[in-house]
Amino acid sequence: MMRAAVLVEPGRFEIQARPIPKPGRDEVLIKVAQAGVCGADLHIFNGHYAADSLPMIPGYEFTGTIAAVGPGVTGLPSGGKAVVDMNIGCGRCFWCRRNEILNCPDMRQMGITMDGAFAEYIAVPARLVIPAPDDIPFGVFSLTEPLACVVRAARKSDITFGQSVVVIGAGPVGNLHVQLLRASGAAPIIVTDLSDDRIAIALDCGTDIGVTDPAQLQQAVVDATGGRGADVVIESVGNPTLYREALRLMRKGGHLAAFGLTGPGETLALPILDTILQENSVKRSVAGMGQDMHDALTLLVHGRIRIAPFTRASYPLAEIQPAFETIADRPKDLKTQIVLAA
Ligand SMILES: NC(=O)c1ccc[n+]([C@@H]2O[C@H](COP(=O)([O-])OP(=O)(O)OC[C@H]3O[C@@H](n4cnc5c(N)ncnc54)[C@H](O)[C@@H]3O)[C@@H](O)[C@H]2O)c1
Ligand SMILES: [Zn+2]
């Protein structure tokens, strides 16, 4: 048997004894080492997302060791460290072949539509297991999934060196945007957040200019970009008002990277003629999968991302309930990790 944190109803985890899953054909059993808590996990906890899936074991930003492999699996040695791509597509359809797994008609997501990784073990499709080097701590690998989301966003919005970028929101993901922008040579990097603590972390992560007063943001961007506005503005909060603000902050011919998830019915009005005449664009991205996961892991393995700001809060599985309940009171803890094994 294994221990698993089951979200039995919104707001209430129960630590339950569950049978250790048996890896089926083409599956791998992962012994979970740690799993990060993401904003979507909090939405699920609060009953605002994936409520139909409960009771469920959430958790999808995870890493661990290969404990066993099912029939048909080769090349994944037992005992090796690994990260896992949480997005399960059919692997054959038009969208899966384009690495647009979330559009696959058969798409499932570990920890969202099915049991995830706040448990000692999880069985996963072998093709989604990415081996990771054994001499690097698990704490580094557990950032692979959120970093993969950021890698995908940067790829979709063609981020490159010398570009001025505004990041709206210095949450955990906003701070990963900042670090990837820094690694990509984007300059200057301007970050805005209402929280002094979050801006302090963003400055530590490589931001050039941090703005906490919304009234000063536009002028700060104008001053930092030769009066033009930013080449790229990344919305990483999920607030329709901030999407409108993003359009005001970008230069003619600039890109809005639509990343923060709003409520389902929200809309953004674009002046058609102006955006054509200026050649503005909106680049959307969702999640991180396939090549995004591989690239994120490569960046982490080669030390391109400072993980210290993301590793300040670790809780054992038994304390998952207080870990979730206190997240909003711990803004300095950019990330909360549930640790299951060393
Ligand atoms: N598209 C994707 O692939 C993808 C992947 C992961 C997360 N997301 C989304 O990205 C967003 C950011 O994720 P996160 O985990 O960092 O979220 P978070 O909620 O933890 O952080 C958001 C940050 O925005 C700040 N903020 C709130 N209101 C603000 C305002 N008016 N002006 C400036 N800053 C403000 C908060 O202080 C906080 O630091 C969320 O909407 C999340 O759902 C999208
Ligand atoms: Zn498919």
Side-chain angles (χ1 to χ4, degrees), residues 89-96 101 104-106:
C90 73
R92 295 179 303 275
C93 74
F94 174 85
W95 289 281
C96 282
I101 314 292
C104 169
D106 295 331

mmCIF file of all heavy atoms in Angstrom, residues 89-96 101 104-106, ligand 2:
data_model
loop_
_atom_site.group_PDB
_atom_site.id
_atom_site.type_symbol
_atom_site.label_atom_id
_atom_site.label_comp_id
_atom_site.label_asym_id
_atom_site.label_seq_id
_atom_site.Cartn_x
_atom_site.Cartn_y
_atom_site.Cartn_z
ATOM 1 N N GLY A 89 -1.903 12.776 -24.409
ATOM 2 C CA GLY A 89 -2.712 12.803 -25.637
ATOM 3 C C GLY A 89 -2.798 11.392 -26.187
ATOM 4 O O GLY A 89 -2.176 10.461 -25.668
ATOM 5 N N CYS A 90 -3.567 11.254 -27.272
ATOM 6 C CA CYS A 90 -3.668 9.918 -27.876
ATOM 7 C C CYS A 90 -2.367 9.554 -28.575
ATOM 8 O O CYS A 90 -2.082 8.382 -28.802
ATOM 9 C CB CYS A 90 -4.830 9.886 -28.863
ATOM 10 S SG CYS A 90 -4.501 10.788 -30.394
ATOM 11 N N GLY A 91 -1.561 10.577 -28.924
ATOM 12 C CA GLY A 91 -0.275 10.312 -29.567
ATOM 13 C C GLY A 91 -0.369 10.133 -31.074
ATOM 14 O O GLY A 91 0.656 10.053 -31.746
ATOM 15 N N ARG A 92 -1.575 10.095 -31.626
ATOM 16 C CA ARG A 92 -1.718 9.768 -33.057
ATOM 17 C C ARG A 92 -2.449 10.842 -33.853
ATOM 18 O O ARG A 92 -2.337 10.905 -35.063
ATOM 19 C CB ARG A 92 -2.525 8.467 -33.223
ATOM 20 C CG ARG A 92 -1.877 7.227 -32.672
ATOM 21 C CD ARG A 92 -2.773 6.016 -32.875
ATOM 22 N NE ARG A 92 -4.080 6.182 -32.274
ATOM 23 C CZ ARG A 92 -4.367 5.930 -30.993
ATOM 24 N NH1 ARG A 92 -3.431 5.462 -30.199
ATOM 25 N NH2 ARG A 92 -5.581 6.127 -30.519
ATOM 26 N N CYS A 93 -3.232 11.688 -33.160
ATOM 27 C CA CYS A 93 -4.131 12.575 -33.918
ATOM 28 C C CYS A 93 -3.355 13.768 -34.487
ATOM 29 O O CYS A 93 -2.176 13.983 -34.204
ATOM 30 C CB CYS A 93 -5.282 13.056 -33.018
ATOM 31 S SG CYS A 93 -4.803 14.285 -31.798
ATOM 32 N N PHE A 94 -4.039 14.544 -35.293
ATOM 33 C CA PHE A 94 -3.482 15.755 -35.916
ATOM 34 C C PHE A 94 -2.781 16.639 -34.873
ATOM 35 O O PHE A 94 -1.659 17.083 -35.055
ATOM 36 C CB PHE A 94 -4.644 16.507 -36.580
ATOM 37 C CG PHE A 94 -4.304 17.845 -37.160
ATOM 38 C CD1 PHE A 94 -3.780 17.952 -38.441
ATOM 39 C CD2 PHE A 94 -4.510 19.006 -36.422
ATOM 40 C CE1 PHE A 94 -3.476 19.199 -38.978
ATOM 41 C CE2 PHE A 94 -4.211 20.252 -36.950
ATOM 42 C CZ PHE A 94 -3.688 20.346 -38.242
ATOM 43 N N TRP A 95 -3.459 16.867 -33.717
ATOM 44 C CA TRP A 95 -2.924 17.802 -32.734
ATOM 45 C C TRP A 95 -1.754 17.196 -31.966
ATOM 46 O O TRP A 95 -0.782 17.884 -31.686
ATOM 47 C CB TRP A 95 -4.026 18.272 -31.780
ATOM 48 C CG TRP A 95 -4.982 19.183 -32.472
ATOM 49 C CD1 TRP A 95 -4.792 20.506 -32.740
ATOM 50 C CD2 TRP A 95 -6.254 18.845 -33.032
ATOM 51 N NE1 TRP A 95 -5.871 21.007 -33.418
ATOM 52 C CE2 TRP A 95 -6.785 20.034 -33.605
ATOM 53 C CE3 TRP A 95 -6.996 17.675 -33.085
ATOM 54 C CZ2 TRP A 95 -8.021 20.067 -34.233
ATOM 55 C CZ3 TRP A 95 -8.234 17.703 -33.701
ATOM 56 C CH2 TRP A 95 -8.734 18.884 -34.274
ATOM 57 N N CYS A 96 -1.860 15.921 -31.616
ATOM 58 C CA CYS A 96 -0.745 15.293 -30.905
ATOM 59 C C CYS A 96 0.525 15.359 -31.744
ATOM 60 O O CYS A 96 1.606 15.630 -31.234
ATOM 61 C CB CYS A 96 -1.078 13.842 -30.560
ATOM 62 S SG CYS A 96 -2.170 13.720 -29.130
ATOM 63 N N ILE A 101 -1.028 19.064 -27.555
ATOM 64 C CA ILE A 101 -1.717 17.949 -26.909
ATOM 65 C C ILE A 101 -3.039 18.397 -26.291
ATOM 66 O O ILE A 101 -3.996 17.625 -26.236
ATOM 67 C CB ILE A 101 -0.828 17.335 -25.789
ATOM 68 C CG1 ILE A 101 0.611 17.127 -26.264
ATOM 69 C CG2 ILE A 101 -1.430 16.051 -25.240
ATOM 70 C CD1 ILE A 101 0.813 16.091 -27.293
ATOM 71 N N CYS A 104 -6.037 17.700 -28.253
ATOM 72 C CA CYS A 104 -6.353 16.301 -28.597
ATOM 73 C C CYS A 104 -7.730 15.951 -28.031
ATOM 74 O O CYS A 104 -8.010 16.225 -26.867
ATOM 75 C CB CYS A 104 -5.290 15.372 -28.009
ATOM 76 S SG CYS A 104 -5.738 13.621 -28.106
ATOM 77 N N PRO A 105 -8.600 15.341 -28.837
ATOM 78 C CA PRO A 105 -9.938 15.000 -28.327
ATOM 79 C C PRO A 105 -9.892 14.035 -27.143
ATOM 80 O O PRO A 105 -10.829 14.006 -26.342
ATOM 81 C CB PRO A 105 -10.636 14.351 -29.527
ATOM 82 C CG PRO A 105 -9.741 14.522 -30.700
ATOM 83 C CD PRO A 105 -8.408 15.008 -30.259
ATOM 84 N N ASP A 106 -8.803 13.257 -27.030
ATOM 85 C CA ASP A 106 -8.703 12.283 -25.924
ATOM 86 C C ASP A 106 -7.778 12.774 -24.811
ATOM 87 O O ASP A 106 -7.287 11.968 -24.024
ATOM 88 C CB ASP A 106 -8.165 10.942 -26.452
ATOM 89 C CG ASP A 106 -9.134 10.311 -27.428
ATOM 90 O OD1 ASP A 106 -10.344 10.570 -27.284
ATOM 91 O OD2 ASP A 106 -8.679 9.594 -28.337
HETATM 92 ZN ZN ZN B 2 -4.300 13.108 -29.889
#
